[in-house]
Amino acid sequence: MKLLHKDIEKDNAGQVTLVPEEAEDMWHTYNLLQVGDSLRASTFRKVQTESTTGSVGSSRVRTTLTLCVETIDFDSHACQLRVKGTNIEENQYVKMGAYHTIELELNRKFTLAKKSWDSVVLERIEQACDATQKADVAAVVMQEGLANLVLVTPAMTLLRAKVEVTIPRKRRGSCTQHEKALERFYEAVMQGILRHINFDVVKCILVASPGFVKDQFISYLFKEAVRQDNKTLLENRPKFMLVHSSSGHKYSLKEILSDPTVTSRLSDTKAAGEVKALEDFYKMLQHEPDRAFYGLAHVEKAADSLAIDTLLISDKLFRHQDIPVRSRYVRLVDNVRDNGGNVRMFSSLHVSGEQLTQLSGVAAILRFPIVDLSEAEDGSSSDDE
């Protein structure tokens, strides 16, 4: 993401002009947008024209509209963002108050204006525009007949390809069918890697599976690379790393990223940091439950007691369209930061973010145990039920 212009007043109202440069930037933009914001961007509009003879025709024209945002739709697989709203500025093609849907495009600037820019939104812009955040990891999570090719970026986990091939069982006295199917499977996975992984950006490719599937695949991959004289694969051989996983499904990514050997290799990536923070929370919950809280009410009271060392919070909570509720989460983040605590913002498109969402989306590791608070909360929660 590129920041072209930023104009924010003392009362936090103002506007920014940004250019999304890659698919992931659409996810950042989705997290910046809220109902009631104003969005100015280039778009297409179908316009009806009447000729001198009276015949009516229609054509698509490119125009720049300013919408008051009403609905925001993000497709996480295609990384497409559509914003629907009413036109709030005079335009030769579109009447004031008329509805229009803008599909934001890569490398085309847009201007976003808000009545109030809070600390979380401003931090999201900084994160999106920081080139050092692009320390990408790719993972091939596989088992016999199934492989998931995943890209792990700082903001999201993207499933790039899923390979499924039926592998017949070995027959007594003949394994040819089994071996041919395996070869077809490995070939499909290899083509997926070549098609979807940009070796200039990706620092590490994790190949994970139960048993020896990963080892057999890697030996096939580089044997084929030598045979085909594929320089891209041969030059990037050191980037491949073999890891054990319990299955070939996408959810195994969490156990892969929490593997100590992987963690040390990926120490500079945000995804690994999120996984470690969540693991630390679970360990604390198991061994010292009075120092691990989750749920907004618990965590807020711990923050008021200046007890929070690390706050784990899902970015999903900041997309809440009810402004008072959203402000409550922003206040919590600011409160923890002001009192010297760490804040870990989890992406809801990461495996770790999905897990945190199941824990209400907010959790905290405390500096010191607070026994009375948890007991009091347990009492009040049972009363509520």
Side-chain angles (χ1 to χ4, degrees):
M1 188 94 86
K2 193 184 286 179
L3 177 64
L4 299 183
H5 177 72
K6 185 176 173 184
D7 179 21
I8 295 171
E9 307 292 334
K10 284 183 180 174
D11 62 351
N12 288 334
Q15 61 182 38
V16 296
T17 303
L18 297 159
V19 179
E21 295 177 308
E22 53 191 79
E24 189 185 333
D25 293 337
M26 291 302 177
W27 169 247
H28 289 299
T29 308
Y30 173 57
N31 283 285
L32 295 175
L33 285 164
Q34 281 176 278
V35 171
D37 292 348
S38 102
L39 176 73
R40 183 176 174 78
S42 174
T43 182
F44 284 104
R45 179 80 173 184
K46 199 173 184 181
V47 177
Q48 287 199 332
T49 52
E50 192 173 335
S51 68
T52 49
T53 58
S55 61
V56 177
S58 65
S59 60
R60 275 160 58 88
V61 294
R62 186 176 273 286
T63 182
T64 301
L65 293 180
T66 306
L67 302 184
C68 177
V69 177
E70 286 193 13
T71 56
I72 307 149
D73 178 35
F74 179 71
D75 179 350
S76 61
H77 294 292
C79 280
Q80 288 178 329
L81 181 61
R82 293 181 190 85
V83 183
K84 182 183 175 186
T86 51
N87 184 33
I88 54 173
E89 272 188 21
E90 280 293 345
N91 185 283
Q92 68 180 102
Y93 301 114
V94 187
K95 292 177 188 169
M96 290 278 284
Y99 275 94
H100 185 79
T101 300
I102 291 178
E103 184 173 321
L104 290 177
E105 299 171 60
L106 291 179
N107 301 311
R108 279 198 182 272
K109 68 176 183 180
F110 66 86
T111 301
L112 179 63
K114 287 178 179 285
K115 289 176 183 146
S116 174
W117 288 86
D118 57 53
S119 60
V120 171
V121 178
L122 293 172
E123 187 192 346
R124 169 70 73 167
I125 292 176
E126 274 178 39
Q127 182 191 337
C129 297
D130 183 2
T132 60
Q133 295 270 2
K134 303 286 181 281
D136 283 8
V137 181
V140 183
V141 193
M142 62 199 305
Q143 63 190 45
E144 266 196 15
L146 170 70
N148 285 287
L149 181 59
V150 179
L151 281 183
V152 185
T153 74
M156 62 205 292
T157 303
L158 283 172
L159 179 64
R160 274 284 170 244
K162 187 174 186 178
V163 178
E164 286 182 285
V165 174
T166 307
I167 312 278
R169 295 169 71 176
K170 290 180 182 177
R171 303 269 176 214
R172 186 178 294 173
S174 172
C175 299
T176 50
Q177 292 295 323
H178 176 82
E179 283 166 6
K180 277 181 185 172
L182 264 184
E183 199 162 303
R184 275 203 315 277
F185 171 58
Y186 292 153
E187 173 62 26
V189 178
M190 177 180 168
Q191 292 309 320
I193 288 173
L194 291 170
R195 193 177 304 121
H196 296 289
I197 293 179
N198 179 354
F199 288 95
D200 297 333
V201 177
V202 171
K203 289 187 172 181
C204 179
I205 300 136
L206 305 170
V207 181
S209 78
F212 296 104
V213 179
K214 57 186 181 297
D215 306 270
Q216 289 163 359
F217 169 67
I218 284 293
S219 71
Y220 171 86
L221 182 72
F222 289 108
K223 198 165 77 183
E224 281 296 298
V226 170
R227 190 177 69 79
Q228 297 173 14
D229 194 25
N230 188 316
K231 290 190 170 61
T232 309
L233 284 174
L234 294 171
E235 285 168 7
N236 289 283
R237 187 166 191 160
K239 290 185 179 179
F240 284 84
M241 184 178 180
L242 299 182
V243 199
H244 173 78
S245 72
S246 55
S247 81
H249 295 280
K250 187 184 160 187
Y251 60 76
S252 296
L253 198 60
K254 183 191 166 287
E255 68 179 84
I256 297 163
L257 289 173
S258 58
D259 186 305
T261 53
V262 176
T263 314
S264 60
R265 177 92 175 252
L266 310 181
S267 55
D268 58 342
T269 65
K270 184 172 180 279
E274 286 179 7
V275 170
K276 188 180 183 310
L278 195 62
E279 207 171 74
D280 291 346
F281 172 77
Y282 278 126
K283 278 181 190 166
M284 193 66 80
L285 193 62
Q286 194 176 357
H287 300 299
E288 289 186 73
D290 293 333
R291 283 183 59 199
F293 282 17
Y294 61 92
L296 185 58
H298 282 235
V299 173
E300 276 183 328
K301 288 192 176 171
D304 292 340
S305 308
L306 313 185
I308 294 181
D309 182 42
T310 305
L311 176 70
L312 288 61
I313 191 161
S314 169
D315 61 7
K316 192 175 185 179
L317 302 176
F318 297 99
R319 293 198 295 277
H320 207 291
Q321 296 305 339
D322 187 350
I323 291 171
V325 174
R326 190 181 187 283
S327 303
R328 198 173 161 189
Y329 291 120
V330 174
R331 275 199 308 275
L332 174 64
V333 168
D334 290 343
N335 184 358
V336 171
R337 281 204 177 115
D338 291 346
N339 294 310
N342 299 313
V343 176
R344 282 266 180 198
M345 195 83 71
F346 281 62
S347 168
S348 53
L349 286 188
H350 273 322
V351 184
S352 52
E354 289 168 11
Q355 271 204 307
L356 184 62
T357 303
Q358 290 168 3
L359 282 174
S360 79
V362 59
I365 299 170
L366 309 191
R367 295 185 174 110
F368 48 84
I370 306 182
V371 185
D372 301 340
L373 170 62
S374 53
E375 284 173 358
E377 280 298 323
D378 288 342
S380 65
S381 62
S382 59
D383 293 344
D384 293 343
E385 287 165 14

